[in-house]
Amino acid sequence: MFKHAQLETVKAWMADPAHGSMPLHARVQRAIRQLILDGVLEAGRPLPATRALAASLGVSRDTAESAYGQLHAEGFIERRVGSGSFVSERTQRLPVRSHSRRARSSAPHLRLSQRGMAMFQGGGVRDFFKPRAFAPGVPETRNFPLQTWERLERQVLKEYGTQALLHSPPQGMEPLRRAIADYVNLERGACASPERVLVLTSSQQALTLCASVLFDAGERIFIEDPVYHGARKAFDAAGLECMPVPLDADGLQVEQLLAATQAMASANGPAGQVPRAVFLTPSHQFPSGATLSLDRRLAVIEWARQQQGWIIEDDYDSEFHYAGKPTACVQGLDAHGRTIYIGTFTKSVFPGLRIGYMVLPEALVAPMTVARTLLDGHSAPIPQLTLARFIDAGHFGAHVRTMRAVYAERRDVLARLLRAHLAEFVEPQVPAGGMQMPCVLIRDIAETAAVQAAQRAGIDLLGLTGLYASSRHQAGFLMGFAAHAPHELEAGVMQLAKVLRGLCR
């Protein structure tokens, strides 16, 4: 028979709302099975008769009989005519599930591969799931033309029917690849064709593909310093050695890249291994906001030609430029086919869309597409086809123009608020584009303490120090402004001022 505590455990399991979708007999069966798995009901233990169990649990005898029947079919109990039901002797071989401290301490040692450990220790890339105050990289979604999107999605389903429910080609749906090629050619000055576009789920996936397909562990890659953390973590996880190149007001200091290349080429042994690629965010550098000058773009292209290396160009939020027209992308200037262009729609449309892309040199299309099949196979067809219509009908361009004006106003509002209420703590570096503002700490406050205290107060900041690969760094943080209306920015600044003053006491 069940002890009182065991019977109450079964009743609690049955009453748990999380199990409410199960039939009643399944809840009884699962509860008893869990007691067996936890070692509470040991092998050979007699079980109550179905009539007695039904009465104790307040269920019908048929329910208890169905529960026992399933337990018997699964081998957890034995039913002997004239003797009753017993926990099966076979359950002695089951590992006991225990939540005790002793069980946790005897758990098997976790052994990961070097790449797995690098990914785990790197902490991954944290998305800001809710637009809390100043979360960087989060767009405004309340202004999105949702009715237009719904209408286009209905058109897709009407035209494609059940075909839209099948797998997409791993390279992406042709209408979207064509729309992307047309868009980047017109708006970004790229040189793209639908055949060279690879549709992905994100720019992070593109970076991971570049790191794993183009390089072996131990190879080197030039990166900006500071650099987008998602890129550096992708390269670190692939076992690459990141070689930082400093920035100034005109972006990456290409003369430093050329000098480092020459020095390594002259050295012997591992020190002589010249990186075969450089990672850039040239249109709007992350996090500084600098734009790479034309002469430096041309110099990087010539470096790639001479070294037979790659330029990995991340054009992550180039649509949002607030002073004049955006600078044309590096890929469109590269006549040698050495540039891999990465873009995403998570910032310009909405984060939940999960569509990014690469414009690839022709020779890389097949290798990258095949490698992509080993990750997630393909992107969902319905959002791809809907986005293609959204772009082709001009809705995407109209939305970007609207949000560009909205974001420019919010950038200016945030700059004014910081100068009015936080001038004693930070110096804002107002960017010419993008969705976040770098702020350098000018008060003797620890960056980590400021970020953690702000987080406890409901404010998300991204520290600047962790974005540097070298010892040259400025303490501070990035403040996102795109997702917040002016009154929300004001409330957030006032709360942050309170947090920083609390740290100075």
Side-chain angles (χ1 to χ4, degrees):
M1 298 295 290
F2 284 168
K3 295 179 181 178
H4 177 74
Q6 295 163 357
L7 191 65
E8 290 303 311
T9 299
V10 174
K11 289 180 178 179
W13 209 98
M14 292 169 57
D16 190 334
H19 308 142
S21 61
M22 294 182 189
L24 190 55
H25 73 273
R27 280 183 266 169
V28 175
Q29 178 257 333
R30 294 284 185 88
I32 296 173
R33 186 181 72 172
Q34 194 63 49
L35 289 174
I36 295 172
L37 289 172
D38 289 343
V40 176
L41 297 178
E42 64 275 6
R45 173 75 174 272
L47 299 174
T50 54
R51 187 185 302 277
L53 179 65
S56 299
L57 298 178
V59 300
S60 70
R61 188 177 179 186
D62 285 345
T63 296
E65 181 61 40
S66 295
Y68 273 13
Q70 184 62 31
L71 288 165
H72 177 65
E74 293 179 358
F76 284 96
I77 69 172
E78 299 170 2
R79 310 194 75 179
R80 305 168 192 165
V81 177
S83 298
S85 300
F86 301 82
V87 178
S88 173
E89 296 292 341
R90 286 176 288 182
T91 61
Q92 287 182 324
R93 297 194 297 269
L94 289 172
V96 176
R97 298 181 182 182
S98 175
H99 303 288
S100 68
R101 182 176 299 174
R102 181 178 177 183
R104 286 199 300 271
S105 64
S106 61
H109 176 67
L110 178 65
R111 182 172 181 177
L112 302 176
S113 67
Q114 289 184 350
R115 181 168 292 182
M117 187 59 71
M119 287 190 284
F120 179 57
Q121 291 179 341
V125 179
R126 183 170 71 97
D127 286 320
F128 294 96
F129 299 109
K130 295 181 180 180
R132 302 202 315 171
F134 310 128
V138 180
E140 175 63 86
T141 56
R142 291 170 292 190
N143 294 23
F144 185 74
L146 195 56
Q147 291 181 336
T148 299
W149 185 268
E150 290 174 337
R151 175 170 55 82
L152 296 175
E153 188 172 75
R154 287 195 300 270
Q155 290 177 8
V156 166
L157 291 171
K158 184 176 181 180
E159 178 177 339
Y160 288 85
T162 56
Q163 290 295 310
L165 308 181
L166 300 176
H167 287 279
S168 160
Q171 192 177 341
M173 301 296 285
E174 196 276 337
L176 179 57
R177 291 190 285 110
R178 186 177 62 247
I180 289 172
D182 291 344
Y183 169 74
V184 296
N185 289 342
L186 178 64
E187 297 293 338
R188 303 297 304 121
C191 181
S193 63
E195 295 75 25
R196 294 197 290 125
V197 173
L198 173 59
V199 178
L200 300 167
T201 54
S202 65
S203 57
Q204 192 63 41
Q205 187 181 45
L207 292 167
T208 299
L209 278 172
C210 288
S212 58
V213 173
L214 299 179
F215 310 101
D216 291 315
E219 290 196 74
R220 291 172 167 175
I221 182 171
F222 283 123
I223 61 170
E224 301 166 318
D225 191 41
V227 70
Y228 170 55
H229 52 293
R232 184 180 175 191
K233 289 185 176 185
F235 302 147
D236 285 344
L240 306 186
E241 183 181 354
C242 293
M243 309 295 291
V245 181
L247 308 171
D248 59 21
D250 291 324
L252 185 91
Q253 296 182 26
V254 180
E255 66 276 10
Q256 299 272 10
L257 179 147
L258 299 177
T261 299
Q262 186 174 8
M264 283 184 275
S266 302
N268 295 319
Q273 185 191 78
V274 177
R276 294 194 299 112
V278 58
F279 172 76
L280 297 173
T281 51
S283 297
H284 176 238
Q285 202 277 332
F286 185 99
S288 71
T291 299
L292 191 65
S293 62
L294 177 60
D295 59 332
R296 293 187 181 183
R297 291 171 187 242
L298 297 175
V300 169
I301 291 170
E302 179 60 19
W303 171 87
R305 183 193 69 81
Q306 291 180 3
Q307 299 297 323
Q308 289 297 288
W310 301 107
I311 300 168
I312 302 174
E313 178 182 12
D314 187 355
D315 210 24
Y316 68 103
D317 65 357
S318 60
E319 291 88 2
F320 303 119
H321 199 83
Y322 311 127
K325 288 193 173 184
T327 307
C329 65
V330 170
Q331 192 268 357
L333 300 172
D334 180 9
H336 314 295
R338 308 302 308 179
T339 302
I340 299 165
Y341 179 90
I342 298 173
T344 179
F345 292 100
T346 58
K347 304 287 192 295
S348 52
V349 183
F350 53 87
L353 182 60
R354 306 313 301 154
I355 292 181
Y357 59 92
M358 287 196 285
V359 179
L360 295 163
E362 186 176 353
L364 289 180
V365 173
M368 288 288 192
T369 303
V370 169
R372 189 270 169 90
T373 66
L374 297 174
L375 297 179
D376 60 351
H378 70 103
S379 298
I382 295 173
Q384 288 188 70
L385 294 168
T386 305
L387 177 59
R389 293 182 179 227
F390 192 70
I391 296 171
D392 289 340
H395 302 301
F396 176 67
H399 179 62
V400 166
R401 288 191 294 272
T402 298
M403 300 317 296
R404 188 182 293 144
V406 169
Y407 294 168
E409 178 195 7
R410 293 179 178 184
R411 176 202 61 172
D412 295 342
V413 167
L414 178 59
R416 287 198 300 270
L417 288 168
L418 292 174
R419 290 174 181 137
H421 302 289
L422 287 176
E424 63 181 299
F425 300 109
V426 299
E427 181 181 333
Q429 299 177 341
V430 183
M435 303 164 64
Q436 52 269 327
M437 185 178 300
C439 295
V440 176
L441 281 166
I442 58 176
R443 191 83 174 261
D444 188 19
I445 299 175
E447 177 192 293
T448 301
V451 171
Q452 291 177 348
Q455 189 173 32
R456 290 192 294 271
I459 295 172
D460 285 325
L461 304 173
L462 180 64
L464 293 178
T465 300
L467 304 179
Y468 286 83
S470 70
S471 58
R472 302 180 295 267
H473 67 266
Q474 289 181 308
F477 37 77
L478 280 180
M479 298 181 69
F481 53 80
H484 311 291
H487 71 279
E488 294 168 329
L489 291 171
E490 182 175 10
V493 167
M494 300 305 291
Q495 179 68 15
L496 181 57
K498 189 183 302 183
V499 168
L500 295 180
R501 289 193 184 98
L503 292 175
C504 293
R505 291 173 185 165

